[in-house]
Amino acid sequence: MSAEHPYREIAFNGLWQNNPGLVQLLGLCPLMAVTTNIVNGLGLGIATLLTLATTNLLISLLRPFIREEIRIPAFVLIIASTVTAIELLIHAYFSELYAVLGIFIPLIVTNCIIIGRAEAYAAKNPPKYAWLDGLMMGLGFTLVLVALGAIREFLAHGTLFSQAHLMFGEAARGLSLHLSDNFKGLLLAALPPGAFISLGFLVAGKNYIDQRRAARAQQQALLKPVSDAI
Amino acid sequence: MMFGTKTSPYMHAPQSVGQVMAQVIYALVPGTLVLLWFFGWGVVTNLLLGLGFALGLEALMLKLRQRPLIPFLTDYSALVTGWLLAVALPPYAPWWLLLIAMVFAIVIAKHLYGGLGYNPFNPAMVGYAAVLVSFPIEMTSWPTPELTSIGNISLSETLQQVFLGGISTWDGLTQATPLDTIKTHLRLGETVEQIRQGQAFGWIAGQGWEWVSLAWLAGGLWLIYRKIISWHIPVALIAALAGMSMMFWLINPHSYSSPLFHLVSGATILGAFFIATDPVSASTTPLGKLLYAGGIGCFTYIIRVWGNYPDAIAFAVLIMNMAVPLLDTYTQPRVYGTKGRFGL
């Protein structure tokens, strides 16, 4: 980690370089199962984000009190209580969304991103970095969930933001985008194989951008002595 | 492998991929002509669109992957994929259905896995399965042979149906395929004998289907004669399907169709000789080929009878494609002079 910009580094890591959905390929089960449209993806993404930021902060704060030998059970306890609290919140304020996401909210407990970040980052770093790492990893995951939801919803139903009222209230009904009545829809995109294929394309797209950036950086490194000489 | 060595000099005349694929295309001609006789212009539009999309997408992917165009386009492998898919889809299919099927076949199943020779799954069947899952209505409305046989639907009506989204009389011209009819009516509690009184049925299976299957069989036998394919895959596939259907038919002929019906219905013969024998995605050892094709036959019967889709060659081939690496590993033939695994 570069010493000058630790916060920027953490953000870049979570959102792009080490994105949980596209690079670490963690949490694929909810990623595949829930992202049939944008709103579901966004709902689960925000729930995961909240959990991740909270647990990372808590674990980092409690770090001095948790003995090395029992750290995993202690992490699981913290994560489980956080998820339960968030589940109750969603149940109370977005009960329709809760009905759609169903089992996947309590299942955030088992999402490997959460325990992965707790073990790999929060248990080794001070709270001021840990909460940001949780936030950025959660945001990176949410972005992938939303992108995948958008692709699959668009291909399968020709809509975007359908059921937005589940999350933002009745006023958001207008947000829903419906393309055309003639659109037949690629049913495959709504089914699990469609999720795998779309995620594959997202990962390929990210790798392509990374390769282009690496190639350009290399080119500039080669040209630099020349431009300096001129 | 066949080594037909008779007398010296033992010259080997290697066949290029292009020569092999060209002969597969010749073998597809008779079956395609019979399809044309029963279903009219729709077969031609399917074929032209399918071949055009296949070649175009192949060229596009070769260009994106920075591979030379001419050697790969002239190996005709994309044409065979396009042709197989075009005759497997219902005639008069709308143009976008063919395009989506070809994108899944050529772009996703073939080139994203590394191009010809590297694809673990049969490209044509990936394309077929993708559109079958996505567009069940379009994929199960086959035209009725009598009403759409050559000359009954004009070329302009065909083009309208394919490009502009349907002529008004279209619904009256289509019907469920025999396999589909059997399946839905059996669930209503009718017996096989009752269902076969329906107008869709001919001598053995659906009207016209016997002749189409016979023509595929002729082309397939010619391929075996030319040693393009070996006998293992077609024989094992047909034997397994016939064995499975015979078993259940003997137990209860009222609820299970006869073996002969299963053999001439749907894509059985086309699949046995042309699809399952794809040299890239099929098993390569003799025993492996028998197991692979036997598996396809069994899965075809299982999905046809207890699954949700009327025909199952595509799914069965894809399932067994997954088993091919394992089959190839465990069925390597014994090298002369060494002891085999079982001491044979």
Side-chain angles (χ1 to χ4, degrees), chain B:
Chain B
M1 286 291 278
M2 301 279 284
F3 293 102
T5 44
K6 290 192 181 84
T7 61
S8 60
Y10 304 121
M11 299 275 280
H12 185 45
Q15 281 186 318
S16 70
V17 176
Q19 283 167 321
V20 172
M21 292 296 169
Q23 298 193 55
V24 175
I25 292 180
Y26 301 150
L28 281 166
V29 168
T32 313
L33 286 178
V34 178
L35 270 184
L36 178 67
W37 172 262
F38 282 111
F39 296 109
W41 286 110
V43 178
V44 179
T45 55
N46 261 20
L47 209 54
L48 290 179
L49 284 171
L51 296 182
F53 287 142
L55 280 182
L57 289 167
E58 175 93 355
L60 177 75
M61 287 311 286
L62 287 171
K63 209 166 165 53
L64 285 177
R65 295 179 58 218
Q66 298 165 359
R67 295 288 190 280
L69 280 187
I70 297 303
F72 284 108
L73 281 184
T74 50
D75 70 12
Y76 304 128
S77 63
L79 280 184
V80 170
T81 303
W83 196 307
L84 283 174
L85 203 40
V87 294
L89 297 178
Y92 303 91
W95 63 271
W96 48 264
L97 192 74
L98 282 145
L99 179 62
I100 293 173
M102 291 298 167
V103 166
F104 273 96
I106 302 281
V107 176
I108 293 183
K110 188 174 173 191
H111 279 288
L112 289 188
Y113 284 92
L116 182 68
Y118 295 95
N119 46 308
F121 296 103
N122 185 321
M125 288 304 101
V126 171
Y128 184 86
V131 288
L132 177 60
V133 170
S134 297
F135 308 104
I137 299 171
E138 280 80 5
M139 287 298 290
T140 46
S141 57
W142 272 72
T144 313
E146 261 186 7
L147 302 176
T148 56
S149 60
I150 194 155
N152 279 355
I153 292 187
S154 70
L155 186 57
S156 66
E157 275 179 315
T158 304
L159 293 177
Q160 200 187 343
Q161 167 66 22
V162 172
F163 289 101
L164 299 175
I167 46 181
S168 53
T169 54
W170 183 245
D171 279 347
L173 296 175
T174 57
Q175 65 179 19
T177 59
L179 277 171
D180 209 358
T181 315
I182 287 264
K183 179 169 237 158
T184 45
H185 284 249
L186 275 178
R187 286 195 179 156
L188 294 176
E190 295 178 34
T191 65
V192 172
E193 291 86 352
Q194 284 174 316
I195 302 165
R196 289 180 57 99
Q197 305 297 320
Q199 49 130 4
F201 289 87
W203 173 50
I204 299 175
Q207 269 177 345
W209 286 101
E210 301 101 347
W211 295 104
V212 176
S213 288
L214 215 55
W216 294 134
L217 181 67
L221 291 177
W222 184 75
L223 280 183
I224 293 182
Y225 167 72
R226 298 286 299 173
K227 294 187 177 150
I228 303 292
I229 59 175
S230 69
W231 58 269
H232 302 79
I233 291 179
V235 168
L237 197 158
I238 290 172
L241 183 59
M244 285 286 278
S245 46
M246 179 69 88
M247 200 160 70
F248 285 95
W249 182 62
L250 287 180
I251 294 171
N252 184 356
H254 301 299
S255 340
Y256 295 99
S257 306
S258 70
L260 209 52
F261 174 82
H262 275 286
L263 292 190
V264 297
S265 290
T268 308
I269 301 294
L270 179 69
F273 286 92
F274 293 94
I275 295 168
T277 52
D278 170 28
V280 179
S281 58
S283 183
T284 49
T285 63
L287 179 60
K289 281 178 182 170
L290 292 175
L291 293 171
Y292 160 81
I296 296 178
C298 293
F299 273 120
T300 303
Y301 188 75
I302 290 168
I303 302 175
R304 270 185 187 177
V305 175
W306 297 288
N308 272 331
Y309 290 97
D311 201 1
I313 290 286
F315 295 117
V317 167
L318 293 179
I319 292 172
M320 288 313 290
N321 280 164
M322 286 192 273
V324 162
L326 194 71
L327 287 177
D328 278 356
T329 308
Y330 282 110
T331 59
Q332 287 302 322
R334 184 178 65 95
V335 176
Y336 184 69
T338 62
K339 271 199 170 168
R341 253 181 321 127
F342 306 110
L344 296 168

